[in-house]
Amino acid sequence: MNSNPDIHLEMQGSVAVVRLTRPTKRNALNDGLIASLRHIFENLPKEARAAVVAGDGDHFCAGLDLSELKERDAGEGLYHSRSWHVALDRVQSGNVPVIAALHGAVVGGGLELASACHIRVADESTFYALPEGTRGIFVGGGGSVRIPRLIGVARMTDMMLTGRVYNAQDGERIGMAQYLVPTGTAFEKAMEIAQRVATNAPLTNYALMHALPRIAEQPADQGFFTEAMMAAIAQSAPEAKQRVRDFLEGKAAKVAKTS
Ligand code: 1HE
């Protein structure tokens, strides 16, 4: 049971909708929120097949709650960062693919949270920044691992050294988000994607969440081998066989060109 008023979980069909509900503080993530985020993703209802993460108010998330930062010593800072690592790992490596619906500020730890999700849908009001550099601190929520994998080390270095802010269009161009949609429609689009993802064979979603990122980090020879193992396991599942049969019998959708 989540009793934290700053975060809310509800099921919409097979999609778990997780909302940050602290708009007066721009959904800044304090220790309680990070603990609740972890708890929610560790205990998603069994019927969840995908999740959407969104933020209430004008911004997705303003990152770390800076009011909690000033009191920490080095040891506490280390534990704090590790607590984010665990929580965001539960988002990234949990049971279901997670779609982030982005709008307004996606900054600092907010971008770290977004980058732990599997698909990011941004509306045109979205902007991305890593103000840690200008605040005299460093990323601590896994950003130095995940963000370069989206946009490259050079762009992240520039963002942190110079305080550069990317707007929604440029963010999509460089790989921050996979989808760019009109202002006010990110949640709707994220739900549409989540509902579609929820209909995939669970083993396919598992492979994409757990095998693909590992394969991408492996030397090619090991990657090819891991891929072969995962392919063999996925195609041997009864559900995969049924889906292929359905296509061959004309009962499943063809791949269609989009307009
Ligand atoms: C906050 C926070 C916060 C807002 N911690 N309280 N992140 C940052 O450095 C981003 C800091 N925030 C901002 O730049 C702006 O607030 C926004 C661009 C996100 C939004 O601007 P705006 O004009 O809509 O809101 P505001 O007036 O700046 O803020 C509204 C309130 O939210 C205000 O509190 P109030 O009591 O005066 O009403 C702000 O103080 C509060 N607020 N952002 C605490 N972040 C694991 S390590 C991760 C490291 C980081 O994430 S560092 C980057 C932190």
Side-chain angles (χ1 to χ4, degrees):
M1 248 310 264
N2 167 54
S3 55
N4 186 339
D6 295 336
I7 190 164
H8 181 75
L9 164 71
E10 76 175 37
M11 291 302 296
Q12 291 193 20
S14 52
V15 178
V17 178
V18 179
R19 304 194 73 93
L20 304 175
T21 50
R22 201 188 178 208
T24 53
K25 295 291 179 184
R26 308 315 185 239
N27 297 318
L29 298 166
N30 56 25
D31 288 352
L33 253 173
I34 287 296
S36 298
L37 185 72
R38 171 181 174 172
H39 180 81
I40 284 173
F41 276 92
E42 279 177 346
N43 297 281
L44 282 181
K46 293 232 173 332
E47 65 269 26
R49 291 280 172 272
V52 168
V53 175
D56 280 3
D58 292 339
H59 301 282
F60 173 70
C61 177
L64 173 71
D65 187 326
L66 291 166
S67 70
E68 287 188 345
L69 183 69
K70 54 181 193 264
E71 305 297 344
R72 262 186 212 116
D73 67 20
E76 288 165 345
L78 174 69
Y79 294 132
H80 175 259
S81 171
R82 298 298 287 156
S83 75
W84 276 61
H85 292 165
V86 175
L88 297 194
D89 177 69
R90 299 303 184 265
V91 175
Q92 183 170 29
S93 306
N95 293 326
V96 299
V98 184
I99 324 301
L102 307 179
H103 72 295
V106 181
V107 304
L111 180 52
E112 295 184 294
L113 169 59
S115 68
C117 299
H118 303 92
I119 296 177
R120 282 156 296 281
V121 179
D123 84 10
E124 282 173 353
S125 72
T126 306
F127 57 97
Y128 308 90
L130 290 167
E132 288 90 336
T134 53
R135 308 238 183 271
I137 54 177
F138 191 59
V139 283
S144 59
V145 172
R146 294 192 181 98
I147 297 167
R149 288 177 182 157
L150 300 179
I151 63 170
V153 173
R155 287 197 182 99
M156 179 167 171
T157 306
D158 174 35
M159 287 176 79
M160 292 198 70
L161 284 177
T162 66
R164 180 172 182 170
V165 179
Y166 278 95
N167 66 23
Q169 285 77 17
D170 288 340
E172 192 257 353
R173 175 178 58 79
I174 67 171
M176 294 280 199
Q178 293 99 320
Y179 295 84
L180 177 61
V181 296
T183 298
T185 66
F187 182 72
E188 192 188 318
K189 181 69 178 177
M191 282 301 291
E192 179 195 317
I193 292 168
Q195 276 152 3
R196 182 177 178 152
V197 164
T199 65
N200 289 341
L203 203 51
T204 300
N205 284 349
Y206 184 88
L208 288 166
M209 293 171 63
H210 295 273
L212 179 61
R214 289 183 170 82
I215 292 168
E217 296 301 313
Q218 288 179 338
D221 181 52
Q222 290 176 28
F224 290 133
F225 193 75
T226 312
E227 179 187 273
M229 304 285 263
M230 191 65 244
I233 293 167
Q235 75 195 26
S236 69
E239 184 167 350
K241 291 186 200 303
Q242 183 60 47
R243 283 173 182 244
V244 172
R245 249 193 324 270
D246 285 350
F247 173 75
L248 294 173
E249 291 167 8
K251 292 189 222 151
K254 289 185 196 181
V255 177
K257 199 167 134 191
T258 53
S259 49

